[in-house]
Amino acid sequence: MPLPPGLSAADFDNVCRELRSVVGEQWVVTADEKVASYHDPYFPGTGGQHLPSGAVLPASVEEIRAVLGIANRVRLPLWSVSLGRNYAYGGGAPCLDGSMVLDLKRMQGIEVNEQLAYAIVEPGVTFFQLYRHIQDKKYRLWISCPAPGWGSVLGNTLERGIGYTPHGDHAGQQCGMEVVLANGDVIRTGMGAMTDNPAWPLYRYSYGPSLDGLFMQSNLGVVTKIGVWLMPEPEMYSPVDIGVDREEDIVALIDTLRPLRLDGTIPTATIANWMRIVATQTTRAQWYDGKDAMPPGAIEKLKKTMRIPHWGLRFGLYGPIKVVDEKFKIVQKAFSSTGNARIARARYPRGAKIAPHHQAAAGIPDVELMPLNWMGGTGAHIECPPVVPMIGAQAYELYRERTALFASYGFDHYSGFTTTTPRTFFNTGSIIFDRSDPEMTGRARELSAALIRDAAKSRLGGYRGHISEMDLIAEQFDFNRHAAMRTYELLKDAMDPEGILSPGKQGIWPKALRTARREGERK
Amino acid sequence: MSGAHAMSRREFLGLSSAAALAVLCPGANATALAGLARSAEGMLVVADHRYSDSLIFARALGIRGAGIFSMKAGLADVWFDALAPRLAAGGHRLAGLTLESELFVLERLAESCGMRSCYVGRHDWRARSGSQHVLGGSIGIDQVAQALAGGAELWAAITADGLMTAAAGPSWQERKISVGLARAADSPRFLVSWVMTPSS
């Protein structure tokens, strides 16, 4: 394992001894086999990059403050993770080699208020834990969760992750935060700035500027609690599937969806291409054994045999039974005029058992990763979804460009358009590869970078990305000579002068490393 | 092994537990078979109901006393309702012949119960002919490889049997073998056999 930058082996031993005195002997991890669990499992030790020196696991805010005190004194870089399960984006691995992982999984506090429909969670709480807590207490509340749901509620929310219920924009449902700053100070945002104010998890703003956004996808503090709004259990949940057969049908599909999304008839919705639909049911080798991207003929044969559309739009309708049924009539009328759309619907009154394939949009977590088996071997994926305006022609053009790019690198195009906000999509484009094949892994990385650059040519930027591509993604945000990044750096230098918190996250480096990196680039 | 060589998957799944055990251990007398019928007690086996080879692997361990857990209700339910509480109590091993994604998920979930893989076999039929098997583990991997190579249609049962009899090895070793084993018609072209044990 690499040592933290600037520390000798003896220095590091001394630091670990100090850290153990704070968190306890077993909660400082330096043995190779245990530290390996923080490597990015999809790119394990690629090129010797993104390797941590160890991990420290505090159990409380007080322990975090003490750890930060030590880290500031010896300039020990800490890479904060809640659980480290955002695997397509790097898992628990740090941007900077030799960083020590600040693993917050021991902090598992949950508080749920049924009356006002919110929860306050600590970093170690998984979506499963929150879901089961609510089930056990028989609260009439739903969570929203990503797929799979084994990650941290707090971590996913801070990374602006998504789910499939009307609360699918997770960052949009966050209200109130507790943060430990690099200097050890503890702040509460929003109404929480007033001691014991009951509106902390209820009203997002405060008196004065809003601070919460500073700590999302950020390295300006360590978030130790957040409030998340929950959804009251609806009287009726009715998932709707709409399929169209031709690639170009996506234009009408999106242009029909948009007004219904804007007026609130349809909440969060996802459009999946043929591969995203079929990869949950089968593997590539059962249909095609060429090394190149599947040709159109093979795709058509697969679609016909598996009876799947080229595009599938899925969303839920929620609310009182009469309202849901009326909404469905509106949906049916709108989409029946878009060519050959096939519309299917299920109805789940409160208390009904929900079929497995409809559970995601009901906030029921799972751990299925079937699409990873698409290529066979040891499956992995990487992606950097751009944010795309909800305009049919624009989405179609982007899809065609990206399909061609995927094919030029020998990959099938796994694509989805998820609308968690009413005016945009996240265009997920997972590159699924066999990580036991070094050549294919290399191609996947090259394609990922090419997709980021290609999207930027159309002036589209990623909302999230892998640790190895955070600098590249950040570079694309270039307005006024990267004025946004200059502002982030201003804040970083003021709030974390020793540069100990997650160096490099989202392309934001502390001053000392920034200068060294830029000098390195010039050479 | 000659009985297993000649037998089809369907025939094997139709046998009683005692008869199936006798097929896998043809030389064993009644006393030995009675002992073998309990040799996998405490082992928990995950079975993917979609694939015959996965069911056969599970059955081969089930006839030795292992508990079999179907993934029909979904991996999350199997894990949280059945496997996690048992593993948390200690003294168990976990095994399966599954898709790679299930191993990926279970390795990470089981880590929280102090479990780690001591054997992983990757069975690959993606090439146009034959099959490739990469077996790795801190057990007597040569023994498993030898058993697998002679497995014929019941390769999954023979592999499970080989895992039960393989001795613990000093360190992680890997073997790659190319043979012409027949996967079941309903199987995907890539499966993973695996065993997890409590990490010391």
Side-chain angles (χ1 to χ4, degrees):
Chain A
M1 298 298 165
L3 289 166
L7 294 188
S8 68
D11 292 338
F12 187 51
D13 281 348
N14 287 334
V15 169
C16 289
R17 199 171 303 125
E18 269 195 84
L19 292 171
R20 286 189 176 101
S21 72
V22 172
V23 297
E25 188 69 26
Q26 74 272 40
W27 302 116
V28 175
V29 174
T30 52
D32 285 2
E33 61 179 45
K34 290 195 171 166
V35 177
S37 71
Y38 294 99
H39 292 180
D40 179 356
Y42 292 161
F43 295 99
T46 310
Q49 294 175 323
H50 307 300
L51 300 176
S53 53
V56 54
L57 294 87
S60 67
V61 166
E62 281 314 306
E63 288 186 2
I64 291 173
R65 297 181 68 203
V67 168
L68 295 184
I70 295 166
N72 266 310
R73 204 185 68 239
V74 301
R75 293 194 173 173
L76 172 70
L78 298 168
W79 182 258
S80 309
V81 301
S82 300
L83 288 163
R85 286 207 174 129
N86 52 341
Y87 288 132
Y89 303 107
C95 274
L96 178 69
D97 260 4
S99 298
M100 195 153 196
V101 178
L102 180 68
D103 182 345
L104 305 176
K105 72 179 171 198
R106 293 174 67 205
M107 300 176 71
Q108 298 188 359
I110 305 179
E111 176 193 332
V112 175
N113 184 308
E114 186 180 28
Q115 197 176 25
L116 289 164
Y118 72 83
I120 295 176
V121 291
E122 291 187 333
V125 176
T126 67
F127 287 94
F128 272 105
Q129 279 172 296
L130 181 57
Y131 172 77
R132 293 206 159 214
H133 179 86
I134 288 168
Q135 294 293 304
D136 291 348
K137 303 277 184 189
K138 302 195 188 318
Y139 294 144
R140 292 202 154 177
L141 296 171
W142 280 14
I143 67 165
S144 174
C145 62
W150 61 353
S152 159
V153 177
L154 182 147
N156 179 274
T157 303
L158 293 186
E159 292 300 315
R160 305 197 183 100
I162 61 171
Y164 302 93
T165 72
H167 285 211
D169 171 18
H170 292 169
Q173 305 303 323
Q174 176 268 328
C175 183
M177 265 183 198
E178 180 183 83
V179 188
V180 185
L181 302 181
N183 65 5
D185 208 359
V186 181
I187 63 166
R188 288 189 172 180
T189 65
M191 301 307 285
M194 178 188 286
T195 307
D196 294 335
N197 188 306
W200 181 35
L202 309 179
Y203 179 70
R204 206 181 255 143
Y205 315 114
S206 182
Y207 185 74
S210 297
L211 293 171
D212 300 57
L214 288 179
F215 302 105
M216 290 200 166
Q217 295 197 355
S218 152
N219 54 9
L220 300 176
V222 179
V223 181
T224 51
K225 273 189 183 74
I226 58 167
V228 287
W229 289 339
L230 303 170
M231 179 177 154
E233 183 184 18
E235 187 183 22
M236 165 75 80
Y237 157 52
S238 183
V240 179
D241 283 292
I242 299 175
V244 291
D245 287 328
R246 298 173 309 172
E247 190 179 86
E248 58 270 31
D249 289 340
I250 193 174
V251 177
L253 202 62
I254 289 174
D255 291 340
T256 307
L257 169 66
R258 186 181 53 253
L260 299 173
R261 187 71 182 89
L262 281 168
D263 73 13
T265 305
I266 295 177
T268 300
T270 297
I271 301 174
N273 79 335
W274 64 272
M275 181 176 163
R276 185 164 160 161
I277 298 168
V278 87
T280 61
Q281 304 165 41
T282 186
T283 60
R284 181 184 210 261
Q286 288 164 270
W287 303 94
Y288 186 66
D289 60 8
K291 297 275 185 197
D292 53 338
M294 274 178 85
I299 294 171
E300 287 307 314
K301 188 179 171 194
L302 180 156
K303 281 165 51 184
K304 198 173 173 186
T305 312
M306 297 290 287
R307 295 183 181 178
I308 58 152
H310 197 94
W311 296 102
L313 165 62
R314 175 172 285 182
F315 54 85
L317 301 173
Y318 310 80
I321 293 173
K322 282 183 184 170
V323 173
V324 168
D325 288 344
E326 283 305 311
K327 278 185 178 177
F328 181 67
K329 282 181 197 163
I330 295 168
V331 165
Q332 209 170 18
K333 187 176 174 196
F335 284 97
S336 60
S337 62
T338 59
N340 300 318
R342 293 185 301 283
I343 306 175
R345 178 200 188 197
R347 294 170 91 247
Y348 297 103
R350 185 179 287 156
K353 186 166 171 55
I354 297 170
H357 62 291
H358 288 146
Q359 291 183 352
I364 301 173
D366 70 30
V367 285
E368 305 296 334
L369 286 173
M370 177 68 187
L372 289 191
N373 300 302
W374 179 250
M375 299 301 293
T378 314
H381 72 122
I382 184 171
E383 59 187 295
C384 172
V387 180
V388 184
M390 202 185 299
I391 302 288
Q394 195 171 342
Y396 182 39
E397 189 185 340
L398 180 71
Y399 179 74
R400 287 175 63 88
E401 281 173 16
R402 287 166 78 90
T403 300
L405 206 47
F406 268 73
S408 71
Y409 283 82
F411 289 100
D412 306 316
H413 190 189
Y414 178 105
S415 179
F417 291 89
T418 301
T419 159
T420 53
T421 64
R423 293 165 182 81
T424 58
F425 291 115
F426 291 147
N427 177 208
T428 47
S430 286
I431 306 163
I432 297 175
F433 59 97
D434 174 358
R435 69 182 188 273
S436 64
D437 179 338
E439 187 276 329
M440 193 189 296
T441 304
R443 261 191 294 131
R445 292 182 79 114
E446 286 171 18
L447 171 58
S448 184
L451 287 166
I452 292 164
R453 291 196 174 94
D454 190 68
K457 282 183 198 158
S458 307
R459 307 318 298 155
L460 297 174
Y463 92 100
R464 199 172 175 187
H466 186 264
I467 45 171
S468 64
E469 285 165 345
M470 286 180 170
D471 289 341
L472 176 63
I473 298 164
E475 273 170 37
Q476 312 309 316
F477 289 79
D478 60 355
F479 173 73
N480 187 20
R481 296 174 294 111
H482 302 90
M485 179 55 75
R486 284 187 276 118
T487 308
Y488 299 147
E489 290 173 351
L490 203 63
L491 290 165
K492 181 71 176 167
D493 296 346
M495 295 173 72
D496 181 14
E498 301 298 340
I500 57 165
L501 294 181
S502 301
K505 180 158 176 59
Q506 252 61 25
I508 304 166
W509 292 91
K511 195 169 194 173
L513 290 168
R514 204 156 68 220
T515 308
R517 288 174 72 82
R518 283 178 189 154
E519 280 173 2
E521 278 166 22
R522 275 198 290 274
K523 285 173 192 168
Chain B
M1 296 291 179
S2 57
H5 276 146
M7 188 163 281
S8 73
R9 292 179 178 86
R10 186 188 295 262
E11 287 168 328
F12 180 76
L13 287 171
L15 292 174
S16 68
S17 294
L21 190 56
V23 167
L24 291 179
C25 313
N29 60 28
T31 313
L33 284 174
L36 289 170
R38 293 192 302 275
S39 57
E41 276 178 1
M43 181 176 257
L44 315 175
V45 189
V46 176
D48 191 328
H49 58 285
R50 296 169 296 181
Y51 308 129
S52 306
D53 286 328
S54 177
L55 295 174
I56 285 174
F57 181 90
R59 173 129 170 90
L61 295 171
I63 59 180
R64 289 170 174 262
I68 299 176
F69 298 87
S70 168
M71 284 173 32
K72 209 166 190 170
L75 191 56
D77 283 358
V78 176
W79 172 257
F80 287 103
D81 294 336
L83 301 176
R86 288 172 173 82
L87 292 174
H92 290 284
R93 288 171 290 169
L94 186 61
L97 174 67
T98 64
L99 291 168
E100 207 276 338
S101 61
E102 267 95 46
L103 171 62
F104 181 82
V105 169
L106 286 169
E107 272 186 330
R108 276 145 192 86
L109 291 174
E111 196 181 13
S112 63
C113 301
M115 307 284 289
R116 58 187 304 187
S117 293
C118 67
Y119 159 80
V120 176
R122 302 185 192 280
H123 311 285
D124 188 353
W125 286 267
R126 286 175 296 171
R128 290 187 184 187
S129 61
S131 59
Q132 286 221 336
H133 306 262
V134 180
L135 313 180
S138 48
I139 59 171
I141 212 71
D142 287 326
Q143 215 174 321
V144 184
Q146 207 173 6
L148 171 69
E153 193 168 323
L154 287 189
W155 68 272
I158 300 294
T159 302
D161 203 60
L163 290 170
M164 289 307 301
T165 51
S171 58
W172 192 275
Q173 294 185 321
E174 210 160 271
R175 298 287 179 271
K176 190 184 275 191
I177 54 172
S178 297
V179 282
L181 296 178
R183 68 187 171 93
D186 60 11
S187 281
R189 291 176 182 266
F190 198 93
L191 285 168
V192 192
S193 55
W194 48 269
V195 178
M196 292 182 220
T197 53
S199 50
S200 48

